[in-house]
Amino acid sequence: MASTLAVFRLHMKGRGSLVKCLRKVHTFLHRSIGTNVAAHGEELRKDKTVSEEKRGWKPLHAVEAERQEQADRSVLISFQTRTDKQTFLKYLSKHGPVNKYFFYENNGPYAVVEFESRESVASLLKGAAITSINDESVVPFKSRLLSVKGLGSSNSPKQQKGYNYQPLNPIPMNELLQRLSRENSIDQQMILLTDLHQLTDENSRLRYLVCSLVKDVAAAYFPECTIKPFGSSVNGFGKMGCDLDMILDLDGITGRNTMMPRSGLFFEYQMKSASSERAVTQNILSVIAASVEQFGAGCVAVQKILKARCPLVKFTHQPSGFQCDLTANNRMALKSTELLYLYGELDPRVRFLVFSVRCWARSQSITKSVSGTWITNFSLTVMVLFFLQKRNPSIIPTLDHLRDLAGPADKNVIEGNDCTFVSDISKIQLQSNTETLEQLLREFFLFYSTFSFMNESINIRKGKEQNKPEPTPMHIQNPFETSLNVSKNVNAAQLERFVALCQESAWLLEHKGTLKPEHVGGSIPQPWGFANLLVPTRNAQIMSRKKRRQEDHNGIIKVLLDSLKHS
Ligand code: GTP
Ligand code: MG
């Protein structure tokens, strides 16, 4: 990500705000989803290419491998606030050196503890007892989700305060509005929003740990399987509290990655076959769902949704509070996760704008936490990418261009669909675009206020509008399965509302000013700039502003006609 800073020219007024903004970018980078960021002020210099700044950058698969390995050496422990912290940590370190630990609260306190080696985990588990409940029988499935019992307890408030709980959820909206309204520019507001919303390092570790715990259940059937997070948990656009999309990866077993010996004798596994690949996926997810439900400690509300286009199992992981969606054989989703991650790494403005637009859409109820006839976060992200490709000069390249830069090792065809794109970020040259976040935000709203949704399709492969191939209200071409429409679910009313809110927001930025108003000392700041756009707009307000805009136009026309009359 450090690479991307080079092309990002911050628009700032005055040296004080420059320093403040740089500090925020620095903090932001350090909270990023696990990339090793070398963020130095000097790296914000202009006119460098991605290749000049590639040091320290890690492709997604490298980030994932590191995180998975850490998760496999970790345990999740529920404890009581009266548990003495020092005794607790001392007891843990008896099993081996602890690399990292942190605490969080979710209906009670929890500790995530990462040991230096897996042997320490094995040693801790060996010493753990099995609950004896008089009236109930327990399923004797041992996992790395543990509870502390009978450890030296203390009621001293001083010791209880020693636990510094990491947040799991985003800050409440009213607090967010106040924090944003204290900033000095819209650029700074958008950077702060991203900093407050994006997943923390701890949250990212916990997500990988939950996948690793679920893998232990699935491993009862498939010992070589892995369970990986995908979607916003790892693509760089995840907001605190977002769902946890996970995929059961059986590629190590299915033969997809194995080489057949060319000569000599060899043995082959005898395996059962099913009527189709989809049927295999459904059968596997069905038994894993049953195991998660019966044996998965902390996993509740398990639902099998196996008839969906992409079969999945939904459940809640109670200790973390994560809403989990488990799929299998979904390599296309892994590719789109990798693509979004790459785009987010190319220029920091991509993430700032995506976070801001996603937050705006959520606060205006354009997107919702459940699926329906409204725009999804994934569609919205693709819309932002398309808009950034359409800037002049463009901020990010088209997918076709990324495919053209790909090397032989990047070649990837899934079910006949070309999913090839470059993985080496240093091969990507960006154009020199100097637009500020404020300009981009305003232009985003103007762009979609006037976009011809009726006739045109959004296409990030070409970076150009294409003729709409079907009469749905909205058409966003699926980047890899190009015959599919990502926004097929969106109905006309939802699209109309989105366009009206884009017009409304462009109008607010134009008419309500983009400069911070003076505040009376100590008073709660009034929302302004970007914060103003997050205040939910009622439909009646949109209508009345529409009318006002119409009146503005009528007024202009009247003045023009009058001036013609009098000339
Ligand atoms: P949030 O969960 O809302 O934070 O965003 P998300 O990006 O994780 O979206 P979601 O959980 O709905 O989907 C998870 C991932 O599945 C996305 O990031 C995409 O990679 C993929 N995905 C979701 N919807 C579609 C779709 O309509 N088409 C394609 N090709 N992929 C999708
Ligand atoms: Mg998701």
Side-chain angles (χ1 to χ4, degrees), residues 361-398:
R362 187 74 185 89
S363 65
Q364 298 297 348
S365 304
I366 292 168
T367 53
K368 301 187 184 165
S369 58
V370 288
S371 49
T373 56
W374 35 88
I375 298 174
T376 62
N377 270 333
F378 181 65
S379 294
L380 209 52
T381 307
V382 177
M383 289 168 85
V384 175
L385 297 179
F386 181 69
F387 162 75
L388 293 173
Q389 290 173 335
K390 293 276 298 175
R391 300 311 297 152
N392 189 10
S394 67
I395 293 179
I396 49 170
T398 65

mmCIF file of all heavy atoms in Angstrom, residues 361-398:
data_model
loop_
_atom_site.group_PDB
_atom_site.id
_atom_site.type_symbol
_atom_site.label_atom_id
_atom_site.label_comp_id
_atom_site.label_asym_id
_atom_site.label_seq_id
_atom_site.Cartn_x
_atom_site.Cartn_y
_atom_site.Cartn_z
ATOM 1 N N ALA A 361 -24.161 5.394 1.755
ATOM 2 C CA ALA A 361 -25.270 4.559 1.265
ATOM 3 C C ALA A 361 -25.986 3.866 2.424
ATOM 4 O O ALA A 361 -27.205 3.748 2.447
ATOM 5 C CB ALA A 361 -24.747 3.527 0.277
ATOM 6 N N ARG A 362 -25.228 3.435 3.415
ATOM 7 C CA ARG A 362 -25.838 2.742 4.566
ATOM 8 C C ARG A 362 -26.657 3.720 5.391
ATOM 9 O O ARG A 362 -27.757 3.406 5.818
ATOM 10 C CB ARG A 362 -24.711 2.107 5.410
ATOM 11 C CG ARG A 362 -25.191 1.231 6.523
ATOM 12 C CD ARG A 362 -25.711 -0.106 5.962
ATOM 13 N NE ARG A 362 -26.300 -0.919 7.011
ATOM 14 C CZ ARG A 362 -27.586 -0.865 7.373
ATOM 15 N NH1 ARG A 362 -28.408 -0.049 6.764
ATOM 16 N NH2 ARG A 362 -28.041 -1.645 8.335
ATOM 17 N N SER A 363 -26.104 4.910 5.599
ATOM 18 C CA SER A 363 -26.821 5.860 6.451
ATOM 19 C C SER A 363 -28.084 6.369 5.760
ATOM 20 O O SER A 363 -29.027 6.786 6.414
ATOM 21 C CB SER A 363 -25.913 7.023 6.868
ATOM 22 O OG SER A 363 -25.560 7.748 5.734
ATOM 23 N N GLN A 364 -28.096 6.328 4.418
ATOM 24 C CA GLN A 364 -29.298 6.757 3.687
ATOM 25 C C GLN A 364 -30.193 5.569 3.336
ATOM 26 O O GLN A 364 -31.105 5.703 2.509
ATOM 27 C CB GLN A 364 -28.886 7.487 2.389
ATOM 28 C CG GLN A 364 -28.088 8.761 2.602
ATOM 29 C CD GLN A 364 -28.871 9.836 3.356
ATOM 30 O OE1 GLN A 364 -30.094 9.718 3.531
ATOM 31 N NE2 GLN A 364 -28.184 10.861 3.813
ATOM 32 N N SER A 365 -29.899 4.394 3.933
ATOM 33 C CA SER A 365 -30.681 3.162 3.691
ATOM 34 C C SER A 365 -30.734 2.773 2.218
ATOM 35 O O SER A 365 -31.715 2.176 1.759
ATOM 36 C CB SER A 365 -32.105 3.272 4.233
ATOM 37 O OG SER A 365 -32.057 3.583 5.583
ATOM 38 N N ILE A 366 -29.694 3.133 1.468
ATOM 39 C CA ILE A 366 -29.606 2.648 0.074
ATOM 40 C C ILE A 366 -29.174 1.182 0.134
ATOM 41 O O ILE A 366 -29.670 0.346 -0.603
ATOM 42 C CB ILE A 366 -28.576 3.492 -0.722
ATOM 43 C CG1 ILE A 366 -29.101 4.901 -0.905
ATOM 44 C CG2 ILE A 366 -28.252 2.842 -2.073
ATOM 45 C CD1 ILE A 366 -28.072 5.879 -1.418
ATOM 46 N N THR A 367 -28.222 0.868 1.033
ATOM 47 C CA THR A 367 -27.847 -0.520 1.278
ATOM 48 C C THR A 367 -28.406 -0.935 2.631
ATOM 49 O O THR A 367 -28.653 -0.076 3.484
ATOM 50 C CB THR A 367 -26.315 -0.690 1.302
ATOM 51 O OG1 THR A 367 -25.768 0.238 2.234
ATOM 52 C CG2 THR A 367 -25.693 -0.473 -0.050
ATOM 53 N N LYS A 368 -28.599 -2.219 2.818
ATOM 54 C CA LYS A 368 -29.123 -2.722 4.105
ATOM 55 C C LYS A 368 -28.336 -3.949 4.504
ATOM 56 O O LYS A 368 -27.598 -4.517 3.685
ATOM 57 C CB LYS A 368 -30.611 -3.057 3.967
ATOM 58 C CG LYS A 368 -31.395 -1.830 3.554
ATOM 59 C CD LYS A 368 -32.871 -1.987 3.544
ATOM 60 C CE LYS A 368 -33.441 -0.676 2.995
ATOM 61 N NZ LYS A 368 -34.777 -0.682 2.588
ATOM 62 N N SER A 369 -28.535 -4.369 5.766
ATOM 63 C CA SER A 369 -27.730 -5.505 6.236
ATOM 64 C C SER A 369 -28.272 -6.844 5.721
ATOM 65 O O SER A 369 -27.600 -7.857 5.799
ATOM 66 C CB SER A 369 -27.657 -5.504 7.759
ATOM 67 O OG SER A 369 -28.955 -5.570 8.256
ATOM 68 N N VAL A 370 -29.495 -6.832 5.215
ATOM 69 C CA VAL A 370 -30.034 -8.072 4.633
ATOM 70 C C VAL A 370 -30.148 -7.900 3.117
ATOM 71 O O VAL A 370 -30.130 -6.773 2.628
ATOM 72 C CB VAL A 370 -31.436 -8.407 5.223
ATOM 73 C CG1 VAL A 370 -31.322 -8.872 6.646
ATOM 74 C CG2 VAL A 370 -32.355 -7.198 5.109
ATOM 75 N N SER A 371 -30.269 -9.027 2.407
ATOM 76 C CA SER A 371 -30.338 -8.869 0.954
ATOM 77 C C SER A 371 -31.775 -8.622 0.525
ATOM 78 O O SER A 371 -32.728 -8.993 1.215
ATOM 79 C CB SER A 371 -29.741 -10.088 0.262
ATOM 80 O OG SER A 371 -30.286 -11.245 0.816
ATOM 81 N N GLY A 372 -31.935 -7.967 -0.613
ATOM 82 C CA GLY A 372 -33.275 -7.632 -1.110
ATOM 83 C C GLY A 372 -33.164 -6.975 -2.460
ATOM 84 O O GLY A 372 -32.220 -7.234 -3.213
ATOM 85 N N THR A 373 -34.068 -6.047 -2.725
ATOM 86 C CA THR A 373 -34.097 -5.417 -4.057
ATOM 87 C C THR A 373 -33.237 -4.160 -4.112
ATOM 88 O O THR A 373 -33.397 -3.329 -4.982
ATOM 89 C CB THR A 373 -35.545 -5.052 -4.420
ATOM 90 O OG1 THR A 373 -36.047 -4.213 -3.365
ATOM 91 C CG2 THR A 373 -36.418 -6.275 -4.570
ATOM 92 N N TRP A 374 -32.391 -3.994 -3.132
ATOM 93 C CA TRP A 374 -31.546 -2.795 -3.081
ATOM 94 C C TRP A 374 -30.108 -3.107 -3.504
ATOM 95 O O TRP A 374 -29.704 -4.271 -3.605
ATOM 96 C CB TRP A 374 -31.571 -2.166 -1.677
ATOM 97 C CG TRP A 374 -31.667 -3.179 -0.584
ATOM 98 C CD1 TRP A 374 -30.652 -3.818 0.022
ATOM 99 C CD2 TRP A 374 -32.866 -3.686 0.006
ATOM 100 N NE1 TRP A 374 -31.127 -4.691 0.960
ATOM 101 C CE2 TRP A 374 -32.480 -4.630 0.968
ATOM 102 C CE3 TRP A 374 -34.229 -3.425 -0.190
ATOM 103 C CZ2 TRP A 374 -33.399 -5.327 1.752
ATOM 104 C CZ3 TRP A 374 -35.147 -4.118 0.588
ATOM 105 C CH2 TRP A 374 -34.729 -5.060 1.539
ATOM 106 N N ILE A 375 -29.340 -2.046 -3.671
ATOM 107 C CA ILE A 375 -27.946 -2.176 -4.120
ATOM 108 C C ILE A 375 -27.130 -2.825 -2.997
ATOM 109 O O ILE A 375 -27.323 -2.506 -1.824
ATOM 110 C CB ILE A 375 -27.395 -0.768 -4.468
ATOM 111 C CG1 ILE A 375 -28.216 -0.170 -5.611
ATOM 112 C CG2 ILE A 375 -25.914 -0.805 -4.813
ATOM 113 C CD1 ILE A 375 -27.875 1.255 -5.965
ATOM 114 N N THR A 376 -26.212 -3.719 -3.366
ATOM 115 C CA THR A 376 -25.349 -4.343 -2.343
ATOM 116 C C THR A 376 -24.034 -3.562 -2.253
ATOM 117 O O THR A 376 -23.689 -2.800 -3.165
ATOM 118 C CB THR A 376 -25.003 -5.795 -2.715
ATOM 119 O OG1 THR A 376 -24.273 -5.763 -3.948
ATOM 120 C CG2 THR A 376 -26.225 -6.668 -2.866
ATOM 121 N N ASN A 377 -23.318 -3.816 -1.180
ATOM 122 C CA ASN A 377 -22.011 -3.184 -1.012
ATOM 123 C C ASN A 377 -21.065 -3.578 -2.141
ATOM 124 O O ASN A 377 -20.239 -2.779 -2.574
ATOM 125 C CB ASN A 377 -21.392 -3.599 0.324
ATOM 126 C CG ASN A 377 -21.780 -2.644 1.421
ATOM 127 O OD1 ASN A 377 -22.054 -1.478 1.167
ATOM 128 N ND2 ASN A 377 -21.775 -3.128 2.655
ATOM 129 N N PHE A 378 -21.181 -4.816 -2.599
ATOM 130 C CA PHE A 378 -20.296 -5.266 -3.677
ATOM 131 C C PHE A 378 -20.567 -4.454 -4.952
ATOM 132 O O PHE A 378 -19.642 -3.951 -5.592
ATOM 133 C CB PHE A 378 -20.487 -6.773 -3.924
ATOM 134 C CG PHE A 378 -19.599 -7.317 -5.006
ATOM 135 C CD1 PHE A 378 -18.219 -7.338 -4.860
ATOM 136 C CD2 PHE A 378 -20.144 -7.814 -6.186
ATOM 137 C CE1 PHE A 378 -17.390 -7.842 -5.876
ATOM 138 C CE2 PHE A 378 -19.325 -8.321 -7.201
ATOM 139 C CZ PHE A 378 -17.948 -8.327 -7.037
ATOM 140 N N SER A 379 -21.854 -4.290 -5.294
ATOM 141 C CA SER A 379 -22.214 -3.495 -6.477
ATOM 142 C C SER A 379 -21.708 -2.066 -6.333
ATOM 143 O O SER A 379 -21.158 -1.481 -7.265
ATOM 144 C CB SER A 379 -23.733 -3.455 -6.665
ATOM 145 O OG SER A 379 -24.216 -4.721 -6.976
ATOM 146 N N LEU A 380 -21.917 -1.512 -5.148
ATOM 147 C CA LEU A 380 -21.511 -0.125 -4.898
ATOM 148 C C LEU A 380 -19.993 0.042 -5.062
ATOM 149 O O LEU A 380 -19.515 1.021 -5.629
ATOM 150 C CB LEU A 380 -21.913 0.221 -3.462
ATOM 151 C CG LEU A 380 -22.242 1.652 -3.123
ATOM 152 C CD1 LEU A 380 -23.256 2.263 -4.055
ATOM 153 C CD2 LEU A 380 -22.749 1.727 -1.682
ATOM 154 N N THR A 381 -19.255 -0.959 -4.604
ATOM 155 C CA THR A 381 -17.788 -0.906 -4.728
ATOM 156 C C THR A 381 -17.396 -0.925 -6.203
ATOM 157 O O THR A 381 -16.539 -0.146 -6.634
ATOM 158 C CB THR A 381 -17.152 -2.102 -3.983
ATOM 159 O OG1 THR A 381 -17.672 -2.105 -2.660
ATOM 160 C CG2 THR A 381 -15.641 -2.003 -3.935
ATOM 161 N N VAL A 382 -18.065 -1.786 -6.978
ATOM 162 C CA VAL A 382 -17.757 -1.854 -8.413
ATOM 163 C C VAL A 382 -18.109 -0.512 -9.072
ATOM 164 O O VAL A 382 -17.386 -0.023 -9.949
ATOM 165 C CB VAL A 382 -18.500 -3.044 -9.081
ATOM 166 C CG1 VAL A 382 -18.255 -3.073 -10.578
ATOM 167 C CG2 VAL A 382 -18.060 -4.369 -8.456
ATOM 168 N N MET A 383 -19.182 0.122 -8.609
ATOM 169 C CA MET A 383 -19.557 1.431 -9.172
ATOM 170 C C MET A 383 -18.484 2.481 -8.895
ATOM 171 O O MET A 383 -18.181 3.323 -9.733
ATOM 172 C CB MET A 383 -20.906 1.881 -8.599
ATOM 173 C CG MET A 383 -22.061 1.064 -9.123
ATOM 174 S SD MET A 383 -23.567 1.365 -8.210
ATOM 175 C CE MET A 383 -24.167 2.813 -9.058
ATOM 176 N N VAL A 384 -17.912 2.433 -7.686
ATOM 177 C CA VAL A 384 -16.842 3.393 -7.362
ATOM 178 C C VAL A 384 -15.623 3.117 -8.251
ATOM 179 O O VAL A 384 -15.027 4.043 -8.801
ATOM 180 C CB VAL A 384 -16.455 3.329 -5.866
ATOM 181 C CG1 VAL A 384 -15.258 4.231 -5.576
ATOM 182 C CG2 VAL A 384 -17.617 3.726 -4.977
ATOM 183 N N LEU A 385 -15.287 1.841 -8.427
ATOM 184 C CA LEU A 385 -14.121 1.496 -9.259
ATOM 185 C C LEU A 385 -14.333 1.997 -10.691
ATOM 186 O O LEU A 385 -13.435 2.582 -11.296
ATOM 187 C CB LEU A 385 -13.885 -0.024 -9.260
ATOM 188 C CG LEU A 385 -13.543 -0.661 -7.913
ATOM 189 C CD1 LEU A 385 -13.357 -2.162 -8.064
ATOM 190 C CD2 LEU A 385 -12.282 -0.039 -7.296
ATOM 191 N N PHE A 386 -15.552 1.778 -11.203
ATOM 192 C CA PHE A 386 -15.859 2.215 -12.568
ATOM 193 C C PHE A 386 -15.702 3.738 -12.678
ATOM 194 O O PHE A 386 -15.068 4.247 -13.612
ATOM 195 C CB PHE A 386 -17.286 1.787 -12.926
ATOM 196 C CG PHE A 386 -17.704 2.149 -14.314
ATOM 197 C CD1 PHE A 386 -17.133 1.511 -15.407
ATOM 198 C CD2 PHE A 386 -18.666 3.117 -14.546
ATOM 199 C CE1 PHE A 386 -17.518 1.842 -16.704
ATOM 200 C CE2 PHE A 386 -19.059 3.458 -15.831
ATOM 201 C CZ PHE A 386 -18.486 2.820 -16.914
ATOM 202 N N PHE A 387 -16.242 4.442 -11.701
ATOM 203 C CA PHE A 387 -16.138 5.906 -11.701
ATOM 204 C C PHE A 387 -14.660 6.341 -11.701
ATOM 205 O O PHE A 387 -14.270 7.242 -12.439
ATOM 206 C CB PHE A 387 -16.883 6.449 -10.466
ATOM 207 C CG PHE A 387 -16.505 7.845 -10.097
ATOM 208 C CD1 PHE A 387 -16.961 8.925 -10.836
ATOM 209 C CD2 PHE A 387 -15.666 8.082 -9.007
ATOM 210 C CE1 PHE A 387 -16.583 10.226 -10.504
ATOM 211 C CE2 PHE A 387 -15.283 9.364 -8.668
ATOM 212 C CZ PHE A 387 -15.740 10.450 -9.421
ATOM 213 N N LEU A 388 -13.833 5.660 -10.918
ATOM 214 C CA LEU A 388 -12.410 6.042 -10.842
ATOM 215 C C LEU A 388 -11.672 5.711 -12.151
ATOM 216 O O LEU A 388 -10.714 6.390 -12.512
ATOM 217 C CB LEU A 388 -11.731 5.359 -9.647
ATOM 218 C CG LEU A 388 -12.224 5.839 -8.276
ATOM 219 C CD1 LEU A 388 -11.627 4.986 -7.161
ATOM 220 C CD2 LEU A 388 -11.885 7.308 -8.035
ATOM 221 N N GLN A 389 -12.134 4.674 -12.841
ATOM 222 C CA GLN A 389 -11.552 4.364 -14.155
ATOM 223 C C GLN A 389 -11.923 5.435 -15.175
ATOM 224 O O GLN A 389 -11.175 5.706 -16.110
ATOM 225 C CB GLN A 389 -12.082 3.011 -14.664
ATOM 226 C CG GLN A 389 -11.570 1.804 -13.897
ATOM 227 C CD GLN A 389 -12.249 0.512 -14.332
ATOM 228 O OE1 GLN A 389 -13.370 0.517 -14.838
ATOM 229 N NE2 GLN A 389 -11.571 -0.606 -14.122
ATOM 230 N N LYS A 390 -13.103 6.043 -14.964
ATOM 231 C CA LYS A 390 -13.609 7.031 -15.925
ATOM 232 C C LYS A 390 -13.053 8.436 -15.706
ATOM 233 O O LYS A 390 -13.345 9.340 -16.476
ATOM 234 C CB LYS A 390 -15.149 7.095 -15.811
ATOM 235 C CG LYS A 390 -15.864 5.871 -16.252
ATOM 236 C CD LYS A 390 -16.118 5.803 -17.745
ATOM 237 C CE LYS A 390 -17.009 6.944 -18.227
ATOM 238 N NZ LYS A 390 -17.149 6.951 -19.683
ATOM 239 N N ARG A 391 -12.305 8.665 -14.651
ATOM 240 C CA ARG A 391 -11.734 10.006 -14.443
ATOM 241 C C ARG A 391 -10.729 10.277 -15.558
ATOM 242 O O ARG A 391 -10.187 9.353 -16.156
ATOM 243 C CB ARG A 391 -11.008 10.134 -13.080
ATOM 244 C CG ARG A 391 -11.842 9.890 -11.858
ATOM 245 C CD ARG A 391 -13.143 10.629 -11.843
ATOM 246 N NE ARG A 391 -12.989 12.079 -11.827
ATOM 247 C CZ ARG A 391 -13.876 12.939 -12.338
ATOM 248 N NH1 ARG A 391 -14.973 12.506 -12.931
ATOM 249 N NH2 ARG A 391 -13.662 14.236 -12.275
ATOM 250 N N ASN A 392 -10.469 11.530 -15.781
ATOM 251 C CA ASN A 392 -9.513 11.889 -16.825
ATOM 252 C C ASN A 392 -8.419 12.786 -16.228
ATOM 253 O O ASN A 392 -8.711 13.916 -15.916
ATOM 254 C CB ASN A 392 -10.275 12.611 -17.947
ATOM 255 C CG ASN A 392 -9.392 12.819 -19.145
ATOM 256 O OD1 ASN A 392 -8.296 12.272 -19.214
ATOM 257 N ND2 ASN A 392 -9.850 13.634 -20.079
ATOM 258 N N PRO A 393 -7.192 12.299 -16.053
ATOM 259 C CA PRO A 393 -6.706 10.961 -16.307
ATOM 260 C C PRO A 393 -7.292 9.949 -15.318
ATOM 261 O O PRO A 393 -7.643 10.325 -14.186
ATOM 262 C CB PRO A 393 -5.193 11.076 -16.094
ATOM 263 C CG PRO A 393 -4.893 12.449 -15.653
ATOM 264 C CD PRO A 393 -6.151 13.206 -15.508
ATOM 265 N N SER A 394 -7.357 8.697 -15.753
ATOM 266 C CA SER A 394 -7.985 7.677 -14.903
ATOM 267 C C SER A 394 -7.134 7.423 -13.648
ATOM 268 O O SER A 394 -5.914 7.571 -13.687
ATOM 269 C CB SER A 394 -8.163 6.391 -15.685
ATOM 270 O OG SER A 394 -6.903 5.857 -15.974
ATOM 271 N N ILE A 395 -7.794 7.054 -12.576
ATOM 272 C CA ILE A 395 -7.073 6.806 -11.311
ATOM 273 C C ILE A 395 -6.664 5.338 -11.201
ATOM 274 O O ILE A 395 -5.605 5.028 -10.673
ATOM 275 C CB ILE A 395 -7.922 7.303 -10.118
ATOM 276 C CG1 ILE A 395 -8.021 8.835 -10.203
ATOM 277 C CG2 ILE A 395 -7.337 6.869 -8.768
ATOM 278 C CD1 ILE A 395 -8.822 9.513 -9.146
ATOM 279 N N ILE A 396 -7.505 4.466 -11.721
ATOM 280 C CA ILE A 396 -7.148 3.035 -11.711
ATOM 281 C C ILE A 396 -7.351 2.450 -13.111
ATOM 282 O O ILE A 396 -8.208 2.917 -13.856
ATOM 283 C CB ILE A 396 -7.972 2.230 -10.672
ATOM 284 C CG1 ILE A 396 -9.464 2.525 -10.806
ATOM 285 C CG2 ILE A 396 -7.491 2.478 -9.257
ATOM 286 C CD1 ILE A 396 -10.339 1.605 -9.992
ATOM 287 N N PRO A 397 -6.570 1.424 -13.467
ATOM 288 C CA PRO A 397 -6.700 0.857 -14.811
ATOM 289 C C PRO A 397 -7.903 -0.070 -14.957
ATOM 290 O O PRO A 397 -8.496 -0.496 -13.963
ATOM 291 C CB PRO A 397 -5.400 0.060 -14.979
ATOM 292 C CG PRO A 397 -4.903 -0.198 -13.608
ATOM 293 C CD PRO A 397 -5.491 0.806 -12.683
ATOM 294 N N THR A 398 -8.226 -0.386 -16.197
ATOM 295 C CA THR A 398 -9.342 -1.305 -16.465
ATOM 296 C C THR A 398 -8.889 -2.738 -16.155
ATOM 297 O O THR A 398 -7.685 -3.023 -16.111
ATOM 298 C CB THR A 398 -9.759 -1.247 -17.949
ATOM 299 O OG1 THR A 398 -8.659 -1.736 -18.716
ATOM 300 C CG2 THR A 398 -10.105 0.156 -18.379
#
